[in-house]
Amino acid sequence: MNTYLRRLRVSAVAAAFCLSAAIPGLALAEPMRIAFGDIATVESVHLLAAIERAKEQGVDVQVTFLKSEDIAAQAVVSGQADIGIGGPYSLLQKVKAPIRIFMQLSKLQFYPVVNTEFYKEWKDLDGQEIAVHSRGSGTEAIMRLMADKNGIKYSNISYVPGAEVRTGALLQGNVKATIVDSSGKRVLEKEAPGKFGFLPLGEVSATDEALFANTDYLSKNQKDVAILVESILTTWREVAADPKAAVALREKYKLLPDATPDMVADIEPYFSEAASTLPLNGGGEDAARDDFDFYTVSGALEGKSADLKVEDFWDLTALNAALAKVGTK
């Protein structure tokens, strides 16, 4: 009897599998594969929490952390990932890949920094090597823009993904000039006061990181993408209103389990400082226009900013659908 029942259960499972394969409506949903061109740190805890919230609404999200934004973008272009995180403007224009940005995640907030034993100001970097996050990233755009403004030329640009990695390289003496985020700035000031100098940057308004995807994926998965966008908007607004919320979200979803006490202690200060960089409406057309102005000046985009069309770089369908639910702010 037991053998008979086991065979019956196996037959039922096999029949269900065949039925789901034969009837598209019953087919198992494919996961939403997100390629993140960085490592998970306290800076991404709010995004990780938003992804958990999307999962709670039925979206099967799988995140893969990669070495750089370049690799993440390549994963989306090749179909190995559905959604990428980064700043793909150069890719969109030069490769003309069927990719569109659908949400701005953060605005640029970085600090060019030098080891004052070697350099004091921008002109000292003429003919010297610098390090940035990745090719085509906002960090590279800033450093290229500042080189142009200060009439200098770097001897080489090294690509070192991760602001915390570049911060560590500065402290170890492996890098003498780079660009870090607010967390890195605080670490440098605490660990080596007076050793590093932060160069003047001026006002910069442009996308640091955005969500982008293949246009075919966006059209076929509008509901799931809109849920993801809604989850991010809700989380961004919560964290911007109270940076302590980021700490609570980490605890609720058990995020970054390997984080050290120092890293956990840095969450609230980081989001207190980064709150102004969180776009509470997902960026949209206004962000695209700001990006056109910034990235054409910095050289990441070619042509005149006024001639660039939003629809050639952005798909606002999911963002507009999410804003219709949570409201503009």
Side-chain angles (χ1 to χ4, degrees):
M1 177 63 73
N2 288 338
T3 300
Y4 172 77
L5 290 175
R6 283 197 298 270
R7 288 176 178 172
L8 185 61
R9 283 195 292 268
V10 171
S11 297
V13 171
F17 175 80
C18 293
L19 187 61
S20 66
I23 303 176
L26 294 179
L28 296 175
E30 292 293 328
M32 175 186 285
R33 303 167 300 168
I34 298 180
F36 194 170
D38 206 342
I39 59 177
T41 67
V42 297
E43 302 158 29
S44 54
V45 69
H46 58 327
L47 177 59
L48 299 177
I51 289 172
E52 292 300 319
R53 286 177 162 176
K55 290 180 181 178
E56 290 176 341
Q57 296 186 64
V59 183
D60 180 12
V61 186
Q62 296 180 0
V63 182
T64 300
F65 295 94
L66 301 170
K67 291 183 178 180
S68 71
E69 291 181 8
D70 285 348
I71 299 175
Q74 291 167 16
V76 175
V77 172
S78 66
Q80 295 175 308
D82 303 309
I83 294 173
I85 298 174
Y89 278 104
S90 181
L91 172 74
L92 291 176
Q93 187 179 63
K94 294 178 181 178
V95 180
K96 299 189 183 300
I99 304 294
R100 292 294 182 272
I101 296 168
F102 61 91
M103 183 180 194
Q104 183 187 56
L105 292 178
S106 61
K107 299 176 185 178
L108 291 169
Q109 186 186 39
F110 288 100
Y111 302 88
V113 57
V114 295
N115 185 324
T116 54
E117 294 178 20
F118 302 90
Y119 315 121
K120 304 291 184 182
E121 52 190 22
W122 281 110
K123 69 177 183 179
D124 296 335
L125 293 180
D126 191 28
Q128 304 301 315
E129 182 175 9
I130 65 164
V132 301
H133 177 66
S134 65
R135 196 181 305 276
S137 67
T139 57
E140 181 183 34
I142 287 175
M143 296 304 276
R144 289 188 180 277
L145 176 62
M146 296 311 294
D148 182 64
K149 283 188 174 182
N150 289 278
I152 62 176
K153 186 175 181 180
Y154 309 122
S155 63
N156 184 50
I157 296 179
S158 298
Y159 300 101
V160 183
E164 69 289 339
V165 178
R166 296 191 299 279
T167 300
L170 277 167
L171 290 170
Q172 294 165 11
N174 297 325
V175 168
K176 299 181 180 65
T178 186
I179 181 168
V180 299
D181 60 9
S182 58
S183 291
K185 182 175 183 289
R186 289 196 301 276
V187 169
L188 294 173
E189 290 173 333
K190 178 182 178 181
E191 298 297 328
K195 183 176 181 179
F196 301 100
F198 299 93
L199 304 181
L201 184 59
E203 184 177 350
V204 173
S205 180
T207 296
D208 176 21
E209 289 185 336
L211 292 177
F212 58 94
N214 185 285
T215 53
D216 186 54
Y217 181 83
L218 289 173
S219 64
K220 291 180 179 179
N221 298 273
Q222 291 182 17
K223 181 179 178 181
D224 285 352
V225 174
I227 289 174
L228 175 65
V229 172
E230 179 188 341
S231 298
I232 293 173
L233 288 173
T234 301
T235 305
W236 266 220
R237 295 176 184 187
E238 188 175 321
V239 171
D242 181 10
K244 291 186 179 69
V247 180
L249 289 168
R250 174 189 174 268
E251 295 173 353
K252 177 180 179 180
Y253 293 111
K254 298 177 174 58
L255 304 171
L256 305 177
D258 298 326
T260 65
D262 285 345
M263 292 171 64
V264 174
D266 194 44
I267 293 176
E268 184 182 341
Y270 172 78
F271 284 100
S272 294
E273 194 166 336
S276 62
T277 71
L278 299 178
L280 305 185
N281 286 318
E285 186 168 343
D286 289 342
R289 294 296 179 193
D290 286 340
D291 289 345
F292 293 163
D293 290 339
F294 174 73
Y295 285 110
T296 50
V297 172
S298 67
L301 281 174
E302 298 176 354
K304 297 180 179 179
S305 61
D307 296 335
L308 299 177
K309 299 178 180 178
V310 175
E311 58 268 26
D312 290 338
F313 297 87
W314 283 66
D315 183 331
L316 299 173
T317 306
L319 179 59
N320 289 337
L323 288 171
K325 291 190 66 176
V326 302
T328 59
K329 193 170 183 177

